[in-house]
Amino acid sequence: MIPTPDLSHLTSKDYDNIYEPAEDTFLLLDALEQDQDQLQTLNPGICLEIGSGSGCVTTLLSKVVGPQSLYLTTDLNDYACKVTRRTGTKNQVDIEPIRTSLVDGLLPRLHHMIDILCFNPPYVVTPSEEVGSFGIEAAWAGGLDGREVIDQLLPLISDLLSPKGIFYLLLIHENRPLEVMEILKQYNLSSSIALERRAGRERQYVLKIHR
Ligand SMILES: C[S@@+](CC[C@H](N)C(=O)[O-])C[C@H]1O[C@@H](n2cnc3c(N)ncnc32)[C@H](O)[C@@H]1O
């Protein structure tokens, strides 16, 4: 059992500015923990989390995999990048947060170099105009079908993943996970549902994606 990362340094003021870990976060953590043996055997060189928020997911990933990997995160919310670094420090994990949208600026340098990729995206169905802010709204506003941010990333996954790379993507029912799996096939990627769970009115899924 991997202990949940220590977030005791974060206050309600921080959570006014960044996403507070919730059931979706914990489902992603459970998926990583469930694959602990496989991820350790993979011996990843570079792990990347998109939309790191509190930094909770990457911190747990580092406890699963070990300190030898490079842990990169992105978030378009500057406050989230700072908090991610603080969470790493609090938990004795080196994390390199990058303020950018999705993976802007990381390709082509990291072409086929990411061994573990994670994203708990803004997945809530909202008006399109709410997508792409730089503040707390960016944590949930997903636009049409909650897919507008997710769909921007799908064409880039194959470029990011190393030959042995695995991508963990959190989705809800409204995002049409089966349709996402079909789109991934167009990029020669296979996927399966690693975990699913009901959280209140949401049906949440973690897709596990690889070549
Ligand atoms: C649902 S929250 C997840 C936060 C954290 N990973 C967790 O699981 O608790 C989504 C995160 O993605 C970030 N985000 C939204 N759109 C993004 C984009 N285009 N590029 C990078 N990060 C983005 C938000 O700022 C937010 O921190």
Side-chain angles (χ1 to χ4, degrees):
M1 178 90 183
I2 310 278
T4 306
D6 182 356
L7 300 179
S8 60
H9 55 295
L10 300 182
T11 64
S12 57
K13 177 179 172 289
D14 292 314
Y15 291 129
D16 287 342
N17 294 284
I18 59 144
Y19 189 74
E20 181 166 2
E23 280 83 354
D24 47 353
T25 315
F26 299 125
L27 191 64
L28 191 49
L29 297 185
D30 287 349
L32 295 172
E33 194 171 351
Q34 172 177 283
D35 284 355
Q36 178 171 15
D37 292 345
Q38 184 187 1
L39 297 181
Q40 285 174 354
T41 306
L42 194 81
N43 192 20
I46 305 182
C47 303
L48 171 65
E49 181 190 4
I50 300 168
S52 60
S54 65
C56 180
V57 173
T58 291
T59 298
L60 179 117
L61 179 61
S62 79
K63 301 293 180 190
V64 167
V65 167
Q68 71 285 357
S69 180
L70 173 64
Y71 295 98
L72 301 176
T73 61
T74 69
D75 206 299
L76 44 66
N77 176 346
D78 187 45
Y79 200 104
C81 294
K82 291 184 172 121
V83 167
T84 292
R85 189 183 294 281
R86 283 169 56 205
T87 298
T89 304
K90 178 82 183 173
N91 291 272
Q92 297 84 46
V93 175
D94 274 334
I95 304 177
E96 287 300 327
I98 301 159
R99 183 186 175 189
T100 192
S101 180
L102 298 178
V103 293
D104 286 359
L106 298 185
L107 283 170
R109 248 185 320 168
L110 294 182
H111 189 253
H112 289 177
M113 288 179 72
I114 305 300
D115 292 321
I116 303 176
L117 181 65
C118 302
F119 192 22
N120 177 10
Y123 57 65
V124 177
V125 179
T126 64
S128 292
E129 306 78 66
E130 292 181 15
V131 175
S133 86
F134 295 97
I136 183 71
E137 312 77 19
W140 62 78
L144 186 67
D145 295 331
R147 278 268 297 278
E148 292 190 26
V149 179
I150 295 162
D151 283 350
Q152 286 175 42
L153 181 69
L154 297 183
L156 306 175
I157 297 166
S158 184
D159 288 338
L160 288 164
L161 286 184
S162 73
K164 62 180 182 180
I166 304 176
F167 176 29
Y168 293 89
L169 173 65
L170 193 123
L171 296 175
I172 59 168
H173 180 72
E174 289 77 358
N175 304 147
R176 304 180 203 224
L178 296 180
E179 190 179 285
V180 171
M181 292 166 84
E182 281 304 309
I183 293 172
L184 289 166
K185 281 187 195 163
Q186 296 168 21
Y187 299 105
N188 296 318
L189 293 166
S190 307
S191 55
S192 58
I193 294 173
L195 273 182
E196 64 177 285
R197 192 175 292 163
R198 181 163 285 287
R201 286 183 319 178
E202 274 182 8
R203 186 95 211 152
Q204 302 174 339
Y205 303 82
V206 177
L207 289 199
K208 184 174 173 182
I209 300 156
H210 55 89
R211 291 190 191 285

